[in-house]
Amino acid sequence: MLLKDKVAVITGAAGINGLGFATARLMASHGAKVVLLDLAQAEPEAAASRLGDEHLGMAVDVTDKASCDAAILAARERFGRIDILVNNAGITQPARTVDITGSDYDRILDVSLRGTLYMSQAVIPTMKAQKSGSIICISSVSAQRGGGILGGPHYSAAKAGVLGLARAMARELGPDGIRVNSVTPGLIGTDIIKGKLTEEKKSEIAETIPLARLGRAEDIGGACIFLASDLSLYCTGITLDVNGGMLIH
């Protein structure tokens, strides 16, 4: 088991069909104790119970620093350490540049970018004390290719900001034994695209992807397992593309 005796915190983790829960399930299968964080209405406690009694679910708002700090304090009190953070929480919105309002901008950037900062700030002191830790930031192929299929320019900007933040943290925190890496998913068949693309459109998109299919949540979870485990001990500041070849660069 690649994560035996490790403690992993995952944000945006309660959606049963989402990237966060798929990652939580895989990490649990590799021996990790998992802390699933999400908004209260997403019922993170119920999601954690699906994985077993040894895991923990808590409500948190990643845009609120006090909420992030309180969640990490509770996780540390329960498990004694924090080895892995997956900054997965994010929201999207289809919009053209001229239609993006100030509130749209704040909402999209706050969850993906501010949330990544606040959660990372919350775990860094513990990881520094341990002299070890792995922070994994979920960005998007849209940050690299200048827009995605569903998200607007503000979503691309938020996810590009995540890449820059992760690289800067990697440079800063490396001497403390903390690795920081990013994953850039392509189009993944999760609830975030439910009802937004017809089956015909999905097939058309799949035909343009070298691996000839949309991604699965487990594809991202597998990449996170690699970056969280000792298999990637000499990897920091990297961006791991998981897009089936949608973007080759």
Side-chain angles (χ1 to χ4, degrees), residues 27-40:
M27 287 189 171
S29 74
H30 278 277
K33 300 292 190 298
V34 186
V35 181
L36 291 79
L37 303 181
D38 215 318
L39 294 172

Side-chain angles (χ1 to χ4, degrees), residues 52-215:
D53 293 339
E54 66 270 36
H55 307 290
L56 179 64
M58 287 187 289
V60 67
D61 177 357
V62 297
T63 70
D64 180 79
K65 184 168 173 54
S67 180
C68 297
D69 291 341
I72 294 306
L73 178 61
R76 196 175 67 227
E77 288 177 347
R78 167 78 177 267
F79 297 113
R81 59 186 297 114
I82 304 289
D83 300 288
I84 301 153
L85 168 65
V86 182
N87 284 308
N88 171 68
I91 56 174
T92 188
Q93 179 190 29
R96 294 184 180 276
T97 302
V98 296
D99 297 326
I100 297 167
T101 66
S103 61
D104 292 335
Y105 178 92
D106 289 343
R107 186 166 54 89
I108 299 301
L109 268 79
D110 269 1
V111 176
S112 287
L113 190 49
R114 188 189 298 269
T116 294
L117 174 64
Y118 283 171
M119 284 304 309
S120 299
Q121 287 176 329
V123 302
I124 285 168
T126 298
M127 290 182 174
K128 277 190 173 184
Q130 296 167 179
K131 284 292 181 182
S132 67
S134 174
I135 298 174
I136 302 162
C137 300
I138 305 300
S139 178
S140 170
V141 68
S142 71
Q144 300 163 305
R145 67 189 290 270
I149 293 167
L150 296 175
H154 51 337
Y155 176 75
S156 296
K159 291 302 190 178
V162 167
L163 292 180
L165 177 60
R167 289 167 182 159
M169 289 195 299
R171 193 175 296 278
E172 175 189 332
L173 299 172
D176 295 299
I178 302 170
R179 300 182 295 112
V180 187
N181 295 292
S182 298
V183 177
T184 46
L187 188 61
I188 311 296
T190 63
D191 287 345
I192 202 169
I193 69 168
K194 194 173 183 179
K196 296 181 175 68
L197 295 174
T198 65
E199 292 304 315
E200 181 181 10
K201 183 62 177 177
K202 290 178 186 176
S203 297
E204 290 175 5
I205 294 169
E207 289 175 2
T208 70
I209 299 173
L211 290 185
R213 67 172 175 86
L214 270 59

